[in-house]
Amino acid sequence: MEEETKVVKKVGLAKQPKLRTIDVELAQKLNTGSNITKSSALIKLRSVVKNEKLTEIQLLKIWKGLYLSLYNTDKPIIQEEVSKNISKLTTLFKDYKDSLTFIKCFFVILQKQWDYIDKYRVDKFYSLARKMLNSSFQLLKKKNPQHEEGSEEDEARLLMNEQIYGGLGKIFKSTVLNTSTDSTTNTNGILLHFADIYLEELFKVTQGHMEPINLTKILLPFVNFLTKSEDDVACKRIKERVFDRLLTTYSPFDKKDAYYLPKVGISNSTPDIFPTDYEMFSKLFFKCASSKDTLGQNRKTLYGLKNQFKRAQAALEELEELADNIVLDENGDIVENPNVNPEDLEGEDSEEEEEDEEFDIDQMDSDDSGEGEFDDEVDADDAEELDDEDEELDDDEDEEFEEFEEEEEEEVPPPPKNLKSKPGQKNQQQQQQQQQQQQQKQKQQPPAKPTQAIKKQQSPIKPTQVTKKQQPPAKPAPIIKKQQSPAKQTSPKVAKKSSRK
């Protein structure tokens, strides 16, 4: 009887099946060495993702199996195919929240296992990270179909769009761009690669067709990392590959960043431009740099980015002003706007300056031409009146000239006669006298017409007269009245008197 009971117990234990959940079963099949078993497990996983709702713990177990499946896969072509099939699972979930959870579990598992990936297998996991990031942005495009503006469906789409952008930002902030010291990985390899490919994959999916506020939301995790991280290498990489590219490669300023790689064999007529709100980023960087929670070593980087985005906003405003004068013709070519006059764009100030210049030039021409005509038409009676007035002015000038010469004679004493001097001293005295006479000539301003009364009062021989005779004939002495040309001196006076009349 005892033997029979033992046999019954053994048979009962053998009939009871093992209870295994779907996630454990799929993870075990994905970890096998057979490629046929792996492919069948992926096909089954696709159907499970479409029809069933999985928890975060179940997704973590499935991702552990997917990681081991790719880890044990050889040959680059097969690795690329497996990576594509894994990344396509992101867009198969019914609810976008499950898709976000699937993305979060991928980065959690990748960070935990990153230290165990050797240099021979790191490239295929770099490729998987790129494809998963691309599928994450595909989620924005797939879950947001276009509807008519103002409808209820359009409002629901916009609300879902904001939730997806905000959800992706939270996932990246808590996993890859986590700044806490309790992070699961001690290396920054996945972070550096993530910064390199972020904007590239975002532009591949959206082609720049996104709102500036959404672009700001999806880049907020990088701003938070620059504010609180102590990793100088990662901060420098994020600045160069994310924010500098917004100012150069993905901007309307026709510039390329230092790490830009040209696309060989791909002709793209449309420029790569993101709708960036430079003013918003400038204010955001300034607020983060001036915060008390910001690390001191990161303030310089944040203030530098603030100044760069501020200058970019000013350059963008200049481009918008220039674009107002450009239109497209019937053939689609860029031409100048015929309705806008370039003279109107210069402003009223430039027009007033041109009018002033034209007025001055005309006035000068009329003055120059009027003097010669008036000299030719002077009458005899007018000339006699002008001569009488000139004689009265000459008498006044003669009196001033006499007073001026008397002062000079008092200042310059005559040389002593009785003193005997050596020949060397005489030469020195003569040189000093010549220097004094030259200085007096520079100060002296002789009048135009000296009178005859001055001739009688002057002595026949004076040292001052000798020096005047020694002068070149181009400058005649002011005493001689005959050598002066009265016609040349009176002509400007005649013109002045005529202008007064």
Side-chain angles (χ1 to χ4, degrees):
M1 294 294 293
E2 292 179 358
E3 292 179 357
E4 290 179 359
T5 54
K6 288 181 180 179
V7 172
V8 172
K9 287 180 180 180
K10 288 181 180 179
V11 173
L13 291 172
K15 287 182 179 179
Q16 289 179 357
K18 250 185 183 179
L19 298 175
R20 291 188 304 177
T21 57
I22 188 66
D23 54 342
V24 175
E25 182 181 356
L26 291 172
Q28 289 179 352
K29 289 183 178 180
L30 290 168
N31 194 21
T32 58
S34 175
N35 291 329
I36 298 173
T37 307
K38 289 179 182 179
S39 60
S40 63
L42 275 174
I43 293 170
K44 188 176 181 179
L45 181 58
R46 289 172 65 90
S47 62
V48 170
V49 165
K50 288 180 180 179
N51 301 321
E52 297 184 13
K53 186 174 180 64
L54 302 173
T55 62
E56 185 174 351
I57 296 174
Q58 289 177 332
L59 290 173
L60 285 171
K61 293 178 182 179
I62 291 172
W63 261 115
K64 185 64 178 290
L66 292 171
Y67 164 78
L68 293 172
S69 174
L70 184 62
Y71 187 89
N72 297 319
T73 302
D74 298 329
K75 297 180 181 180
I77 298 175
I78 300 174
Q79 292 170 2
E80 284 291 317
E81 185 179 357
V82 172
S83 298
K84 286 181 181 178
N85 293 331
I86 292 172
S87 62
K88 288 178 180 178
L89 296 172
T90 307
T91 58
L92 297 178
F93 290 89
K94 290 182 178 180
D95 191 2
Y96 71 92
K97 294 181 181 179
D98 296 336
S99 299
L100 295 176
T101 307
F102 184 76
I103 296 167
K104 180 181 178 181
C105 294
F106 160 70
F107 285 110
V108 169
I109 295 297
L110 189 62
Q111 282 185 315
K112 284 182 178 180
Q113 303 297 328
W114 189 259
D115 294 336
Y116 304 102
I117 300 174
D118 53 24
K119 63 180 181 180
Y120 302 105
R121 292 181 172 89
V122 70
D123 290 339
K124 56 185 176 184
F125 285 100
Y126 277 148
S127 177
L128 178 62
R130 181 184 284 272
K131 290 178 174 58
M132 282 299 299
L133 184 61
N134 187 286
S135 63
S136 301
F137 296 140
Q138 289 285 349
L139 183 66
L140 302 172
K141 188 176 180 181
K142 183 177 180 61
K143 296 294 181 181
N144 294 307
Q146 297 292 332
H147 298 284
E148 295 181 359
E149 295 183 359
S151 61
E152 295 180 357
E153 296 177 350
D154 185 62
E155 293 178 358
R157 180 186 65 83
L158 293 175
L159 181 61
M160 185 184 296
N161 195 2
E162 292 178 0
Q163 291 176 355
I164 292 174
Y165 275 106
L168 284 176
K170 290 179 181 179
I171 290 171
F172 298 150
K173 183 179 178 181
S174 61
T175 55
V176 187
L177 300 170
N178 189 6
T179 57
S180 64
T181 56
D182 300 332
S183 59
T184 57
T185 181
N186 296 323
T187 61
N188 57 3
I190 185 64
L191 171 59
L192 300 180
H193 181 66
F194 188 75
D196 292 344
I197 65 176
Y198 195 81
L199 289 181
E200 293 180 6
E201 299 302 322
L202 180 61
F203 189 82
K204 285 180 183 178
V205 176
T206 61
Q207 294 295 319
H209 301 294
M210 57 188 306
E211 297 179 1
I213 187 64
N214 292 331
L215 180 64
T216 306
K217 284 181 181 179
I218 209 166
L219 293 178
L220 281 178
F222 292 100
V223 180
N224 180 72
F225 189 87
L226 289 177
T227 305
K228 299 179 180 180
S229 177
E230 298 178 357
D231 191 352
D232 296 338
V233 177
C235 290
K236 183 180 179 182
R237 181 66 67 89
I238 289 172
K239 177 184 177 298
E240 292 175 350
R241 304 300 174 90
V242 178
F243 295 109
D244 285 352
R245 282 182 175 178
L246 281 179
L247 298 170
T248 54
T249 306
Y250 298 102
S251 69
F253 306 123
D254 195 15
K255 295 181 181 179
K256 301 297 179 184
D257 62 286
Y259 306 97
Y260 174 76
L261 296 176
K263 300 175 183 178
V264 180
I266 300 174
S267 60
N268 188 8
S269 59
T270 59
D272 300 344
I273 298 174
F274 274 117
T276 310
D277 191 350
Y278 298 107
E279 187 176 1
M280 184 185 294
F281 273 106
S282 178
K283 293 179 181 179
L284 181 62
F285 286 125
F286 179 75
K287 188 174 181 180
C288 294
S290 59
S291 177
K292 295 180 180 179
D293 300 333
T294 304
L295 296 177
Q297 59 188 7
N298 297 338
R299 292 183 189 275
K300 184 177 180 181
T301 303
L302 292 170
Y303 277 121
L305 288 172
K306 176 253 179 185
N307 294 330
Q308 289 179 5
F309 276 85
K310 189 175 181 180
R311 289 194 293 268
Q313 178 64 25
L316 183 63
E317 291 176 357
E318 292 180 359
L319 286 177
E320 290 176 353
E321 292 178 358
L322 292 174
D324 294 337
N325 194 26
I326 295 175
V327 294
L328 296 176
D329 59 0
E330 297 177 354
N331 299 326
D333 299 330
I334 297 174
V335 295
E336 294 185 358
N337 191 356
N339 297 327
V340 178
N341 294 325
E343 297 178 356
D344 298 338
L345 299 175
E346 294 178 358
E348 297 179 355
D349 297 335
S350 59
E351 293 179 357
E352 292 178 356
E353 290 178 358
E354 290 177 358
E355 290 177 359
D356 295 338
E357 290 177 358
E358 291 177 358
F359 175 77
D360 295 336
I361 292 168
D362 296 337
Q363 188 175 4
M364 291 170 63
D365 294 338
S366 62
D367 293 340
D368 295 337
S369 61
E371 286 183 359
E373 294 176 358
F374 183 80
D375 291 338
D376 297 336
E377 296 177 359
V378 174
D379 297 333
D381 298 334
D382 296 334
E384 290 179 359
E385 294 177 359
L386 292 173
D387 292 336
D388 296 336
E389 292 178 359
D390 291 337
E391 289 178 0
E392 292 177 359
L393 294 171
D394 293 338
D395 295 336
D396 296 335
E397 291 175 357
D398 294 337
E399 292 177 358
E400 293 177 359
F401 182 75
E402 289 176 1
E403 294 176 358
F404 180 73
E405 282 192 348
E406 288 176 358
E407 291 176 358
E408 287 183 350
E409 290 176 359
E410 291 176 358
E411 290 177 0
V412 182
K417 297 180 181 179
N418 298 327
L419 294 177
K420 296 181 180 180
S421 59
K422 295 180 181 180
Q425 293 178 354
K426 289 181 180 180
N427 295 330
Q428 292 179 359
Q429 291 177 0
Q430 290 177 359
Q431 290 177 1
Q432 291 177 359
Q433 290 179 1
Q434 291 177 0
Q435 290 177 359
Q436 290 177 359
Q437 291 174 2
Q438 290 177 359
Q439 292 176 0
Q440 291 176 4
K441 290 176 183 178
Q442 292 176 359
K443 294 179 181 180
Q444 184 178 357
Q445 295 179 357
K449 288 184 180 182
T451 55
Q452 296 179 359
I454 298 172
K455 292 182 181 180
K456 296 178 181 180
Q457 293 177 1
Q458 292 178 354
S459 58
I461 298 171
K462 283 187 180 181
T464 56
Q465 292 177 355
V466 175
T467 56
K468 290 178 182 178
K469 291 180 181 179
Q470 292 176 0
Q471 291 179 357
K475 295 182 180 179
I479 301 171
I480 302 169
K481 187 175 180 182
K482 295 180 180 180
Q483 293 179 359
Q484 296 178 357
S485 59
K488 293 181 181 180
Q489 292 180 355
T490 55
S491 60
K493 292 181 180 181
V494 173
K496 290 179 182 178
K497 294 296 181 178
S498 62
S499 61
R500 292 177 186 175
K501 288 185 177 183

